[in-house]
């Protein structure tokens, strides 16, 4: 049993890595086979080079224009535009170049009942106008099926717990089913107070 426990994650890692290499290699391998070149891994390296060149091209003004035209065309296609929009939002959320459409912060809200909490991501904020006055609410996206499907909750900004977790750490926690959950989670406000007290102690 100990051997199985040790070897299982290693086997799964190698299996997924091997499948990924074969999958990516299959994009350009048929082209090399027609040319009479049969070198395993050449299609994989070509695919990586292709992705790298696409990234450089899109970073230029001409590439950004071509990409914008292609994106506009895709958004006009029924059904396909919904898949593309959802995929783009997820890729934007985990991208190092964060913008206004990405996840803003990791949030912990009280859901579905008192004493229970749920992980989510703050996506935007809105002001609710009522007879009692204006109330600032945050739109919190709580995934229910990895990151593709979830619920939107409008929560008062004062009722949101903002943990000391980055967007990537929050995504890892949700995708892993909570297995990458840190042992201690502290709100950002508490971390700021602790850092301030440490700085004051050093000064004194």
């Amino acid at each position: 049993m100990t051997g199985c426990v040790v070897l299982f994650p290693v086997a799964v890692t190698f299996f997924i890595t091997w499948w990924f290499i074969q999958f990516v290699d299959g994009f350009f391998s048929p082209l090399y086979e027609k040319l009479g070149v049969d070198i395993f891994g050449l299609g994989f390296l070509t695919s990586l080079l292709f992705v790298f060149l696409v990234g450089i091209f899109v970073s230029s003004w001409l590439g950004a224009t071509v990409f914008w035209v292609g994106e506009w065309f895709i958004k006009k296609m029924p059904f396909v535009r919904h898949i593309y929009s959802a995929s783009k939002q997820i890729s934007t959320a985990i991208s190092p170049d964060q913008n206004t459409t990405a996840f803003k912060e990791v949030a912990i809200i009280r859901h579905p009942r008192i004493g229970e909490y749920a992980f989510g991501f703050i996506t935007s904020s809105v002001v609710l106008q009522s007879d009692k006055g204006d109330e600032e609410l945050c739109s919190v996206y709580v995934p229910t099926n990895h990151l593709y499907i979830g619920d939107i909750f409008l929560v008062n900004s004062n009722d949101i717990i903002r943990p000391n977790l980055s967007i990537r750490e929050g995504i890892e926690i949700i995708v892993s089913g909570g297995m990458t959950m840190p042992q201690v989670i502290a709100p950002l406000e508490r971390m700021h107070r602790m850092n301030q007290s440490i700085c004051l102690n050093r000064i004194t």
Side-chain angles (χ1 to χ4, degrees):
M1 289 300 298
T2 304
C4 292
V5 171
V6 172
L7 293 178
F8 178 74
V10 177
V12 171
T13 302
F14 276 101
F15 175 79
I16 295 177
T17 304
W18 181 254
W19 173 85
F20 177 76
I21 293 176
Q22 288 183 321
F23 175 76
V24 178
D25 184 76
F27 286 107
F28 289 94
S29 291
L31 178 62
Y32 287 116
E33 290 178 358
K34 292 182 178 179
L35 297 176
V37 180
D38 187 13
I39 301 177
F40 179 77
L42 186 59
F44 176 76
L45 296 177
T46 306
S47 300
L48 294 182
L49 180 62
F50 175 75
V51 172
F52 178 72
L53 294 177
V54 168
I56 294 177
F57 177 71
V58 174
S59 300
S60 64
W61 178 82
L62 178 61
T65 304
V66 174
F67 178 76
W68 180 83
V69 174
E71 189 178 44
W72 177 85
F73 180 75
I74 293 177
K75 289 183 178 180
K76 295 297 181 181
M77 301 174 63
F79 182 71
V80 177
R81 61 185 179 185
H82 300 293
I83 300 177
Y84 177 78
S85 298
S87 303
K88 184 178 180 181
Q89 289 176 1
I90 295 173
S91 63
T92 303
I94 63 177
S95 173
D97 300 326
Q98 298 292 330
N99 55 34
T100 55
T101 61
F103 294 153
K104 302 294 188 301
E105 295 178 78
V106 178
I108 299 177
I109 63 174
R110 291 176 175 85
H111 173 75
R113 58 180 65 89
I114 298 176
E116 297 183 4
Y117 299 88
F119 265 102
F121 301 96
I122 298 176
T123 56
S124 61
S125 59
V126 62
V127 176
L128 178 63
Q129 295 181 345
S130 61
D131 297 336
K132 297 180 180 179
D134 297 344
E135 183 180 5
E136 182 182 358
L137 303 177
C138 291
S139 176
V140 180
Y141 174 72
V142 178
T144 56
N145 182 13
H146 291 292
L147 289 174
Y148 299 98
I149 301 176
D151 299 323
I152 302 295
F153 297 95
L154 294 177
V155 185
N156 190 296
S157 59
N158 297 324
D159 297 332
I160 296 177
I161 301 175
R162 293 172 169 82
N164 57 332
L165 298 172
S166 64
I167 300 297
R168 291 181 180 273
E169 290 173 333
I171 292 175
E172 290 177 357
I173 290 174
I174 292 175
V175 172
S176 66
M179 290 186 290
T180 60
M181 181 82 67
Q183 294 182 349
V184 178
I185 297 178
L188 289 176
E189 295 82 0
R190 182 177 180 182
M191 296 297 295
H192 292 327
R193 289 196 299 266
M194 291 176 61
N195 292 333
Q196 290 177 357
S197 61
I198 293 174
C199 293
L200 291 175
N201 292 331
R202 289 180 178 178
I203 294 174
T204 56

